Amino acid sequence: MNQEIYFKIMDKILKNIDEGVHFVDKEGKTIIYNDSIEKMEKMNRHDILNNSFFDVVDKMKINRSTLVEVLEKKQIIKDNIQKYLDKNGKEITTINTTIPIEIKGEFIGALEISKDVTAIEDLSNEVIKNKEYPISKMSNKQKKGYEFDDILGESSSMKEAISRSKRACKSDASVFIYGETGTGKELISQSIHYGSNRKNYPFIAQNCAALPEALFEGILFGTTKGGFTGAIDRPGLFEQANKGTLLLDEINSMPMMLQAKLLRVLQEGYVRRVGGTKDIPIDVRVIATTNESPSVILNEHKIRKDLYYRLNVIHIEIPPLRDRENDIPILCKKFITKYNKKLEKNVASISDEAIRILNNYDWQGNVRELENTIYSTMSMMEDDIQIEASMIILNDYYNIKEEKENNNYSLHDLENKTLDNIISDIEEKYIYKSLEKTGYNITKAALILGMNRQNLQYKMKKYNIKNFNRL
């Protein structure tokens, strides 16, 4: 590549990326200081460029500069949390990776890449503050959350999920819940907690996809003063949930390094705060949830196998709404009552034709989407006392099951696939579904499919379907 073009591209990158980039030579003079780091630290780059970085450290009262440390030790520092004051005296929090740069074996300086996480940390601190519970038992007045009486469902698949959840209340074993987005995983989780002997202790929920890895570790396990620059003594979610229940939502989004630490906590029964040396015993029941099937997250290495089997002591699968047609009228009645109060309306019912439309909709957002549909529909009604089919407001009216199911294969498909190919596709699909439904129990899946174990195992080998119970 032409050198001029290369430098123009690098200049555009440095000016447009969100991360701050700061390079100092081996003498400590700043050579690169891009727009993002200038904005982050509220400094004027003309006061920084070609000047001694050591003077900047003194002015900004940085107790431990990773750039200075790498200049001295010539060793990489990865994902380091750093707190310091910007030019205006406001504390900022960054996650830095600082790298010694060498050319032909000669050390020429240190490069630091910084991500401003001040806003995220402020949010996480607020989350932790709102989740903090006293260590002693909570009174009944303090107890808030869903119980089994709040769960509506008459379909056989939902009854089975509720039945398994109720049985889970009698044990302290870890629970693994699989259900699509909007099916009610937290509702089930809270019901298990408030139906167990831990009901008078905290129930704490944390979405594993909500925070970056460097901050999430401190939130989960706590921090120790002096553990890193600006760190304070603060209990993590495990300590706060002691004797209660910790819900880890979207466990498949947790970074692998943290999954290993979580597994150790579950096995050994104690936590060690970030930067600390003391082992703190904890007694916490963990409920983990995922909106992707176990076969997918295991196949795609989104969860460690050993952690999955440690969490999956009790397995609960919540069926999607499209498989619960009998429950839609019951849920509609509940939501109509709820939004009559909220909207000060007097809607008495929903027509059979409206129910038919709802039954044929695909419900990618499940119960949550149904509730929002009833809410938006009622919001647009005048003085009507019944929801009619013409009033229903759907995100995608044509996204209905009838059309999808009837058009899985068309004449056009037959021009490109043989009948054997199509039959094989359908067979593979239903083998997958039966295995997922039974938690990869070969005997039970074979019973559902109406074949013997040996035949099912042959089919699994044919379609390269792995038995995750043996992994």
Side-chain angles (χ1 to χ4, degrees), residues 295 432 435-436 438-442 460 465-469:
S295 59
Y432 260 120
L435 287 167
E436 288 183 357
T438 60
Y440 280 76
N441 183 305
I442 302 290
M460 289 171 67
I465 300 172
K466 295 179 181 179
N467 183 356
F468 288 98
N469 283 335

Side-chain angles (χ1 to χ4, degrees), residues 187-202:
L187 191 154
I188 288 283
S189 301
Q190 288 194 28
S191 298
I192 292 172
H193 171 75
Y194 289 115
S196 73
N197 59 9
R198 296 176 179 265
K199 62 185 176 183
N200 291 321
Y201 291 96

Side-chain angles (χ1 to χ4, degrees), residues 29-89:
K29 184 170 69 174
T30 293
I31 306 300
I32 298 174
Y33 192 81
N34 76 339
D35 291 358
S36 291
I37 193 73
E38 181 182 37
K39 181 179 178 182
M40 195 184 302
E41 297 180 343
K42 306 294 188 296
M43 301 290 284
N44 188 323
R45 69 162 47 141
H46 299 295
D47 296 333
I48 303 293
L49 286 171
N50 299 314
N51 289 319
S52 170
F53 176 66
F54 300 109
D55 294 338
V56 176
V57 170
D58 291 336
K59 287 180 182 177
M60 297 181 70
K61 299 179 181 179
I62 302 174
N63 295 325
R64 174 180 172 265
S65 166
T66 44
L67 267 172
V68 172
E69 191 170 334
V70 170
L71 282 176
E72 293 173 351
K73 297 180 179 179
K74 301 178 179 58
Q75 294 177 342
I76 187 172
I77 299 174
K78 294 187 71 175
D79 297 329
N80 180 74
I81 300 175
Q82 188 164 329
K83 292 176 180 282
Y84 57 100
L85 303 180
D86 65 15
K87 185 181 179 182
N88 298 329

